[in-house]
Amino acid sequence: MNVSSHRTLILNSTFQPLSVVSYKRAISLIHNNKINVIKNSELLLHSENEKYFIPKVGILTYFVKAPFARRVALNRENIFIRDFYTCQYCGKPAESVDHIVPRSKGGLHEWSNVVACCKKCNLIKADKLLHQTHLNIKMLPSNPKGNFWIKTIVGSNPDPSWEEYLISA
């Protein structure tokens, strides 16, 4: 792995995911005794006087009162992540986004009304209501929950060493 692309998961003192930071920020937090390292990578950073393994997971040495829920942007990539890059009508790979109730028919652009879909299903559904087609929805869409925001930062496949800390993601 390239050092410049390395990311570190930072946990609150309660072990709740708080943020994802660059390797530079992680080293700064270690140097200033703001985090303790839980898991290190194999990457070693040398300075004139010190050596640091770049951490994969660090925990704050103090508690930070964080907002209960982070707002996740409603955009194409986040819809694909939520829907596992799968068409919610036929199960094939998704290529576009569809409004279940079309906007022209009063449907809103919100998490509960948008799904990932393939081009074929999008053309079949077009500007119709779902009951006007033969399509059925596989999974009802909902707002992202838990630590979904981590996936929006690092993609749908976060570092495997973070898995035990992202259980609700």
Side-chain angles (χ1 to χ4, degrees):
M1 171 184 261
N2 184 351
V3 173
S4 62
S5 66
H6 182 82
R7 297 284 188 97
T8 301
L9 175 65
I10 303 296
L11 305 174
N12 209 341
S13 61
T14 58
F15 284 84
Q16 292 176 307
L18 195 59
S19 67
V20 177
V21 299
S22 70
Y23 80 95
K24 290 179 182 179
R25 179 71 176 135
I27 295 299
S28 173
L29 290 169
I30 292 169
H31 186 72
N32 292 313
N33 296 320
K34 295 195 177 204
I35 65 169
N36 292 318
V37 177
I38 295 177
K39 290 187 179 181
N40 272 321
S41 70
E42 301 296 318
L43 301 171
L44 189 60
L45 196 63
H46 298 269
S47 72
E48 187 176 326
N49 301 321
E50 301 175 83
K51 294 179 188 178
Y52 292 102
F53 278 102
I54 299 175
K56 287 187 174 197
V57 182
I59 186 166
L60 286 174
T61 57
Y62 54 93
F63 177 76
V64 172
K65 185 174 182 181
F68 286 103
R70 293 178 184 241
R71 185 177 174 276
V72 176
L74 175 56
N75 59 37
R76 177 185 171 99
E77 183 63 23
N78 290 345
I79 293 165
F80 281 3
I81 292 169
R82 181 200 62 188
D83 294 346
F84 304 102
Y85 296 86
T86 305
C87 176
Q88 295 303 296
Y89 300 123
C90 71
K92 292 182 179 172
E95 301 165 293
S96 62
V97 173
D98 180 58
H99 288 82
I100 299 167
V101 176
R103 294 182 83 176
S104 66
K105 305 228 186 311
L108 300 175
H109 185 64
E110 57 187 23
W111 283 104
S112 61
N113 191 44
V114 291
V115 293
C117 67
C118 67
K119 286 184 181 176
K120 182 179 177 184
C121 289
N122 203 354
L123 287 171
I124 291 169
K125 181 154 174 312
D127 197 32
K128 301 178 198 112
L129 296 171
L130 201 53
H131 72 274
Q132 296 172 320
T133 69
H134 71 278
L135 300 173
N136 292 312
I137 198 151
K138 303 265 183 214
M139 179 180 72
L140 287 175
S142 63
N143 289 13
K145 296 187 178 32
N147 294 322
F148 183 86
W149 61 270
I150 295 271
K151 292 179 182 176
T152 68
I153 294 171
V154 296
S156 58
N157 295 318
D159 189 314
S161 65
W162 299 357
E163 191 173 318
E164 64 187 284
Y165 306 103
L166 302 178
I167 293 170
S168 62

